[in-house]
Amino acid sequence: MRTVEARPVLDGQRVRWTLEQIERDNQSKVRIDWLRFTVPLDAVVQRERSLEAVTAGDVTVQSGFDVKTKRATLADPAYSAAHMVAIAAGRDLVAMLACGLTLGAVEDKGMDFYAVRVALLHNSAVVGYVMAGSKDARQASTVHFNLFGQAMLAIPRDRLEIVRSYVAHAKGWITRVDLAVDVWSGHRIEDVQTAWESGEFDVRGKRPGQQNAGSWAAHHSRTFSVGNRGTGKMLRAYEKGDEQFGSREASAQHGCAEWIRYEVEVRNNHRVIDLDVLTRPADFFAGAYAFCDRLLTELEVQAAAQTIKTNPEVKDVTALAAVERCASWTDGTCGAIVAALFMHGGDLLAHIVERNAHRVARRLKGFAAADIAAAFEKVAGRMAPVSAPLLNGAV
């Protein structure tokens, strides 16, 4: 469940009415509830004559951040260039979608390590952002679009075909997509837990982890989650009526006490998300877990289950990058301490290793042990000369 704060009753009524109207034209019942995608900088500047000479170097921000005023220092001209890029990209998106979205003011604070952002508005409410510029040169060579659930409610389904074409032509990629199904009555959140226990979420014989949130003892405002974002795929099932109306009593008064939302979130962690998810969301929802396939069958939705598989090459490169960062950080930040422990600490270093062997470094979480081991072997081959002493017991 995205939020626990109560909302005005009118908001809950409006959301349900909007969803029911969408459902009339969407027989698949699966809709996109959140979308994030990235395109190369060139795809934006080539569409805007005034920006055609802008390069990634022009939007690579070097100036710092004023913590006291919480504003970026604008002496760096890269901020101005990033402003123009974000506005141009946002203007393109608004024109492309033609569904009542407008551009808000450009902000000198960014997000997700981008330097600036421009808000996307619908009925004066912020429903997304377009982001550009970064201190990191590689990230500065991209432009990112973040469309919240409120934006997706306003975007007609056929416009997503246009978005797909735009991303494909730009050689961009989806970084996150949420696929949602709303069921108004007849379902119970406890049944999702039963399905998990019976193996309907198992992947290649392994049962993913799960979490509960909300008031399970009092039987309201509950969420049952399967999987985790670190692996790039998870499902949330939650009592949407309670969320929208603020309490079980209020949701019951408006006939929404049985309103359940099923939501599959897919991120590009170790995955390349197929752009067809924009035009065939039901197929990818069905392919997420066996439970999802059965759910659509019960709702009389025809879908050809299609999975978004883990990409071994992407996973290997990501694991390698994580290990390289860990090794570089250790060498540069605490290398002298490690050396002192090795040279003068006796068995202390071995003791520290033994005590912490069961723990997984935060930066290495989400990877298989075999991928981490292979990555360490590659990094050791690159960073350690042949003459380096062996510390793993080998002779």
Side-chain angles (χ1 to χ4, degrees):
M1 195 176 291
R2 289 216 176 104
T3 178
V4 295
E5 64 183 20
R7 293 192 178 100
V9 169
L10 181 60
D11 283 356
Q13 292 174 324
R14 183 184 297 116
V15 169
R16 173 162 181 169
W17 182 86
T18 302
L19 290 170
E20 288 176 331
Q21 298 304 305
I22 292 173
E23 205 170 85
R24 290 182 182 180
D25 299 325
N26 180 17
Q27 296 304 307
S28 77
K29 297 186 181 296
V30 182
R31 61 182 184 81
I32 295 177
D33 188 53
W34 202 295
L35 177 64
R36 301 186 69 159
F37 62 91
T38 303
V39 300
L41 175 66
D42 290 346
V44 174
V45 300
Q46 288 174 1
R47 294 166 65 97
E48 180 69 36
R49 180 171 298 179
S50 63
L51 298 176
E52 59 185 2
V54 172
T55 67
D58 298 320
V59 292
T60 301
V61 176
Q62 301 298 329
S63 56
F65 193 83
D66 189 333
V67 176
K68 186 175 182 179
T69 62
K70 295 185 178 180
R71 287 176 58 85
T73 55
L74 302 182
D76 190 338
Y79 270 107
S80 298
H83 285 176
M84 294 187 290
V85 169
I87 291 171
R91 191 165 52 234
D92 278 350
L93 182 68
V94 166
M96 187 189 315
L97 296 176
C99 61
L101 294 183
T102 58
L103 285 187
V106 67
E107 301 179 18
D108 298 327
K109 60 179 181 180
M111 60 190 299
D112 298 334
F113 305 103
Y114 284 93
V116 301
R117 66 187 185 186
V118 60
L120 296 167
L121 307 178
H122 187 258
N123 293 332
S124 301
V126 176
V127 297
Y129 290 104
V130 180
M131 292 162 269
S134 177
K135 288 185 177 180
D136 181 82
R138 289 177 298 179
Q139 186 166 350
S141 66
T142 66
V143 178
H144 188 66
F145 301 78
N146 186 352
L147 299 171
F148 306 162
Q150 302 97 310
M152 303 312 298
L153 287 178
I155 300 172
R157 193 178 175 203
D158 60 354
R159 296 292 195 281
L160 293 177
E161 296 181 5
I162 299 174
V163 175
R164 188 206 180 286
S165 297
Y166 169 70
V167 178
H169 181 73
K171 294 182 172 56
W173 57 94
I174 296 173
T175 62
R176 172 184 174 179
V177 62
D178 290 11
L179 308 175
V181 174
D182 290 284
V183 178
W184 311 109
S185 63
H187 283 226
R188 303 184 316 144
I189 200 75
E190 295 92 338
D191 295 336
V192 186
Q193 178 170 334
T194 301
W196 178 80
E197 292 170 348
S198 65
E200 289 193 66
F201 290 93
D202 291 3
V203 179
R204 293 187 297 276
K206 294 183 179 180
R207 185 155 303 167
Q210 69 83 211
Q211 291 183 326
N212 293 354
S215 300
W216 282 77
H219 305 289
H220 70 82
S221 307
R222 293 170 291 178
T223 300
F224 188 88
S225 301
V226 178
N228 65 78
R229 287 174 171 168
T231 63
K233 183 179 71 172
M234 65 182 300
L235 175 136
R236 289 180 295 270
Y238 56 97
E239 294 173 312
K240 184 67 174 178
D242 295 354
E243 180 208 44
Q244 284 296 308
F245 292 95
S247 69
R248 173 53 57 92
E249 292 75 15
S251 64
Q253 288 174 6
H254 292 84
C256 292
E258 295 184 53
W259 178 4
I260 301 290
R261 172 168 292 177
Y262 302 96
E263 195 169 77
V264 172
E265 176 184 322
V266 183
R267 292 175 177 251
N268 67 331
N269 298 12
H270 321 316
R271 304 168 193 269
V272 176
I273 301 175
D274 195 322
L275 296 182
D276 283 351
V277 72
L278 299 177
T279 53
R280 297 189 290 113
D283 292 347
F284 292 91
F285 183 90
Y289 299 101
F291 169 83
C292 298
D293 196 10
R294 177 172 66 81
L295 172 65
L296 294 188
T297 299
E298 291 179 356
L299 296 175
E300 300 181 344
V301 173
Q302 293 184 349
Q306 183 165 340
T307 60
I308 299 176
K309 297 180 179 179
T310 299
N311 185 322
E313 292 183 1
V314 172
K315 186 173 182 179
D316 178 67
V317 170
T318 308
L320 184 60
V323 168
E324 284 181 332
R325 287 194 296 268
C326 288
S328 296
W329 179 87
T330 302
D331 186 24
T333 305
C334 55
I337 296 175
V338 173
L341 287 170
F342 175 67
M343 299 296 293
H344 310 294
D347 293 333
L348 180 56
L349 184 58
H351 179 62
I352 292 173
V353 171
E354 184 178 4
R355 285 184 57 192
N356 291 275
H358 68 285
R359 302 174 63 193
V360 179
R362 182 176 61 84
R363 187 164 276 178
L364 302 181
K365 288 183 177 179
F367 302 106
D371 295 324
I372 292 297
F376 267 110
E377 186 175 349
K378 291 179 182 178
V379 171
R382 294 177 186 176
M383 295 182 63
V386 176
S387 58
L390 297 175
L391 308 181
N392 60 0
V395 294

